[in-house]
Amino acid sequence: MQAAATGRRPALVGARRHRRRAEAAQDLLAGRPTTHPELVAFKDWDQVREHSTQDDASGNLQVLVKLIDEHSPEQIIRMVGGLVDERSADVVISRPTKLRAASGTAFGSPGTSANPDSTRSPARQS
């Protein structure tokens, strides 16, 4: 979100997946069931929040709850809609595991980051 706010042309690896998760959260926040495979077991967003605090909750679920609660599903959907294709981007935003898959470099190699939200310039791709 910061990259777009500063006038950059960002791309997000897995943008469609993030949009679908935000749409599912939007349904659950409105009290509607969702068919999203990661969230279908929950009847509302409060259940998702509660489960995300449990020891067995995945880190991905915790990140999703934080993003939705801090930014709203609508804001995430708008942001994803404003992204560009990776080939047109001046910055590509990714989790480290996605960064590795997208760049073909090993995690921890130059150009990668241990931060949960990494960025890389398309010019640095191998």
Side-chain angles (χ1 to χ4, degrees), residues 85-108:
D85 182 80
E86 286 184 49
R87 294 172 297 227
S88 304
D90 58 10
V91 63
V92 175
I93 302 155
S94 176
R95 295 187 332 246
T97 54
K98 293 286 186 182
L99 178 65
R100 180 163 125 203
S103 69
T105 62
F107 182 70

Side-chain angles (χ1 to χ4, degrees), residues 57-74:
S58 80
N60 288 339
L61 185 60
Q62 293 166 352
V63 170
L64 175 64
V65 168
K66 182 177 181 191
L67 282 172
I68 296 297
D69 287 349
E70 288 181 5
H71 300 286
S72 84
E74 295 80 11

Side-chain angles (χ1 to χ4, degrees), residues 28 32-34 38-52 61:
L28 291 169
R32 296 185 304 262
T34 183
E38 295 175 41
L39 299 171
V40 71
F42 302 101
K43 70 174 186 161
D44 59 33
W45 190 247
D46 287 335
Q47 279 190 338
V48 178
R49 280 187 193 114
E50 177 63 29
H51 183 71
S52 74
L61 185 60

